[in-house]
Amino acid sequence: MLKDIYLVRNVFLIVVMLSCWSCKEGTKAEATVDKALLFAAHKAINDAIIEDGFSPPVASRIYAYSYLGAYKCLPQEATHFQLDLNDFNKTIEFEEAYDSEIASILALLKVAEQLVYRKFIIKQTYDDIVNKLHQTKIPESTIDNAIMAAENVAKAVIDYSKGDNYHNTRNKPFYNISEGYGVWEPTPPMYGTAIEPYWGEIRPFLIDSVDAFLTNYDIQYDTAKGSKFYKEALQVYDTVNIATQQHIDKAQYWDCNPRETLSSGHLMLQVKQMNPPGHWLGIANTIFKREPYQIKEIVEINTITALTMADAIIVCWKEKYTTNLIRPETYINRFIDKSWRPKLETPMFPEYTSGHSVISASAATVLTQLVGDNIAYTDSVNYFLDLAPRSFNSFIEASKEAAISRFYGGIHYLPAIENGYEQGKTIATTVLETKILPK
């Protein structure tokens, strides 16, 4: 298994401490950098994404390219894997040897700065980190060379991002609500337009084909009371109606709706929350803060996790707008109980498959392979929302709770959750087996 590579981590660290990591052989060894600087950089990206209110697909793209920038600063001899990236053919040249840990942290921020709206959040943290580095015993020339290397890598990654079809999807027409039975419709309280209807056209980072991972599930829409579809909707209705506080707590903790709408009469306001990819990278960092992981290892694992989640979301969104299935809230209001409301706000996109199920399964599969299984931890990622931390015995346990939480919240039928979970797991397994090549 790939995680076995990490069993030799301690031996590896002894070797690399004696090595020189730079683009030019025979140059001086790297400085020791506090990994807290990496976590500060990650937090700045998180903060910017949350403040900008980016949807899960867009957020996943930002995390993926940002960490790819950090990863591309690592010399090949310092990494455990070779990433088989789609269409990344550029050779990045460097004029001077550089400290790869410093460059990696700075490139993480440099890429993110180009992808968010509130650039000042990123720039402020970037300047703070550079100032802290200048206050250490690290030579000025080492810091300056790392800055130049980070800028060089960031430019290459941003150039790469321009070919993923993202900008073309910004210029497409607004999504037209389909006519017919059983199709998705906007839901209360916002009745907003569809979110990222063309995301399935984004170029994936690692997988060869988006269509290869579609479930081709035979959705048999039916309004008859004895039908399979009606029973699936009734299952959602009954589960929400008898939900215990434990069920509600799980639903709320894993909500991860970047913009939750609160309404009272004619007054509406939006609460900014964590997004699913950010939640899972936060979980990974919880382990990395606790255990003796080095910056290079953290960057490599977070990069693989972020790229896999980004690809999983592309597949999921292609599935969503291909099936274009009606949400439980709409169906239940029309055919079971017109006054019924779910525990969570229904997101503004079609129902099948469940995005959180796909994302959580893909992230948990990668982390289980690269970090380990049966690793107990306490997830406090949502502390800023005053949500009590939750403890888990493994990444898989957490991912399964995240998936089923959508059922407790009343926003997905069970097939979307179960098939979505398998979809995410399959994507991650394929990536690990064919695109993340152990050295």
Side-chain angles (χ1 to χ4, degrees), residues 86-141:
N86 294 329
D87 300 338
F88 195 98
N89 303 315
K90 184 178 179 62
T91 300
I92 305 174
E93 301 289 344
F94 302 98
E95 292 298 323
E96 300 290 340
Y98 65 93
D99 182 293
S100 65
E101 289 191 345
I102 296 175
S104 186
I105 294 170
L106 298 182
L108 181 72
L109 291 166
K110 276 293 181 182
V111 174
E113 185 180 0
Q114 299 302 309
L115 302 175
V116 301
Y117 298 143
R118 288 170 171 80
K119 300 181 186 300
F120 69 90
I121 297 176
I122 307 294
K123 188 176 186 310
Q124 180 177 340
T125 299
Y126 179 93
D127 291 343
D128 288 345
I129 288 175
V130 171
N131 288 335
K132 287 179 180 178
L133 291 170
H134 281 304
Q135 293 168 14
T136 66
K137 296 181 180 180
I138 299 173
E140 297 291 317
S141 60

Side-chain angles (χ1 to χ4, degrees), residues 50-250:
I50 291 171
E51 284 300 314
D52 286 340
F54 287 119
S55 66
V58 178
S60 75
R61 180 177 182 268
I62 296 171
Y63 289 121
Y65 281 117
S66 299
Y67 269 102
L68 182 59
Y71 175 83
K72 283 295 182 180
C73 288
L74 303 181
Q76 284 299 300
E77 62 268 24
T79 59
H80 294 80
F81 302 99
Q82 175 87 30
L83 272 61
D84 185 11
L85 284 165
N86 294 329
D87 300 338
F88 195 98
N89 303 315
K90 184 178 179 62
T91 300
I92 305 174
E93 301 289 344
F94 302 98
E95 292 298 323
E96 300 290 340
Y98 65 93
D99 182 293
S100 65
E101 289 191 345
I102 296 175
S104 186
I105 294 170
L106 298 182
L108 181 72
L109 291 166
K110 276 293 181 182
V111 174
E113 185 180 0
Q114 299 302 309
L115 302 175
V116 301
Y117 298 143
R118 288 170 171 80
K119 300 181 186 300
F120 69 90
I121 297 176
I122 307 294
K123 188 176 186 310
Q124 180 177 340
T125 299
Y126 179 93
D127 291 343
D128 288 345
I129 288 175
V130 171
N131 288 335
K132 287 179 180 178
L133 291 170
H134 281 304
Q135 293 168 14
T136 66
K137 296 181 180 180
I138 299 173
E140 297 291 317
S141 60
T142 299
I143 299 172
D144 292 341
N145 288 344
I147 290 173
M148 288 189 291
E151 291 175 347
N152 201 3
V153 170
K155 182 181 183 305
V157 171
I158 290 297
D159 287 345
Y160 174 56
S161 75
K162 293 176 182 177
D164 69 359
N165 206 41
Y166 172 78
H167 293 292
N168 289 338
T169 64
R170 303 305 91 184
N171 296 319
K172 293 212 170 193
F174 283 113
Y175 183 75
N176 289 324
I177 308 302
S178 301
E179 295 182 359
Y181 298 105
V183 297
W184 176 80
E185 301 174 28
T187 47
M190 292 297 292
Y191 295 97
T193 187
I195 293 175
E196 299 299 341
Y198 306 108
W199 200 260
E201 300 175 14
I202 298 292
R203 176 193 62 200
F205 289 92
L206 296 168
I207 62 174
D208 293 326
S209 168
V210 172
D211 290 348
F213 294 97
L214 300 180
T215 66
N216 298 313
Y217 180 61
D218 183 18
I219 298 171
Q220 300 175 0
Y221 176 76
D222 201 326
T223 61
K225 287 191 176 181
S227 67
K228 179 176 178 288
F229 198 90
Y230 185 93
K231 290 177 180 178
E232 289 171 356
L234 189 62
Q235 217 177 1
V236 177
Y237 176 76
D238 290 339
T239 297
V240 169
N241 288 347
I242 63 172
T244 66
Q245 189 58 49
Q246 283 186 328
H247 291 152
I248 295 171
D249 289 345
K250 290 176 183 179

Side-chain angles (χ1 to χ4, degrees), residues 198-410:
Y198 306 108
W199 200 260
E201 300 175 14
I202 298 292
R203 176 193 62 200
F205 289 92
L206 296 168
I207 62 174
D208 293 326
S209 168
V210 172
D211 290 348
F213 294 97
L214 300 180
T215 66
N216 298 313
Y217 180 61
D218 183 18
I219 298 171
Q220 300 175 0
Y221 176 76
D222 201 326
T223 61
K225 287 191 176 181
S227 67
K228 179 176 178 288
F229 198 90
Y230 185 93
K231 290 177 180 178
E232 289 171 356
L234 189 62
Q235 217 177 1
V236 177
Y237 176 76
D238 290 339
T239 297
V240 169
N241 288 347
I242 63 172
T244 66
Q245 189 58 49
Q246 283 186 328
H247 291 152
I248 295 171
D249 289 345
K250 290 176 183 179
Q252 290 177 340
Y253 192 80
W254 293 102
D255 185 12
C256 295
N257 183 349
R259 292 192 179 189
E260 179 190 19
T261 305
L262 303 179
S263 60
S264 178
H266 295 291
L267 176 66
M268 280 191 181
L269 61 89
Q270 290 189 325
V271 176
K272 296 176 181 178
Q273 301 186 119
M274 182 63 76
N275 57 82
H279 193 152
W280 275 101
L281 289 171
I283 289 172
N285 284 341
T286 296
I287 306 299
F288 300 147
K289 290 176 183 177
R290 187 183 75 187
E291 305 293 341
Y293 281 84
Q294 298 266 314
I295 288 174
K296 295 179 179 67
E297 293 178 293
I298 297 169
V299 166
E300 186 169 21
I301 298 172
N302 275 350
T303 300
I304 295 171
T305 305
L307 295 177
T308 305
M309 287 192 292
D311 279 7
I313 288 179
I314 294 171
V315 173
C316 178
W317 251 249
K318 178 67 176 290
E319 184 97 60
K320 282 181 177 296
Y321 285 96
T322 299
T323 56
N324 195 26
L325 186 61
I326 189 171
R327 282 281 186 171
E329 182 170 11
T330 306
Y331 185 95
I332 291 170
N333 287 167
R334 189 165 294 159
F335 302 110
I336 299 176
D337 182 349
K338 65 180 180 181
S339 63
W340 183 87
R341 290 292 178 269
K343 296 296 182 184
L344 300 179
E345 180 180 351
T346 300
M348 292 292 106
F349 37 79
E351 110 88 24
Y352 183 90
T353 51
S354 160
H356 218 327
S357 302
V358 176
I359 296 164
S360 297
S362 66
T365 300
V366 169
L367 292 173
T368 297
Q369 291 294 325
L370 301 187
V371 179
D373 53 9
N374 299 321
I375 294 179
Y377 67 93
T378 298
D379 176 7
S380 58
V381 172
N382 281 330
Y383 73 95
F384 69 101
L385 296 171
D386 293 326
L387 293 171
R390 299 188 65 80
S391 295
F392 302 96
N393 294 309
S394 68
F395 300 119
I396 297 299
E397 179 187 355
S399 68
K400 290 182 176 179
E401 180 178 285
I404 198 63
S405 73
R406 317 310 269 174
F407 185 58
Y408 299 148

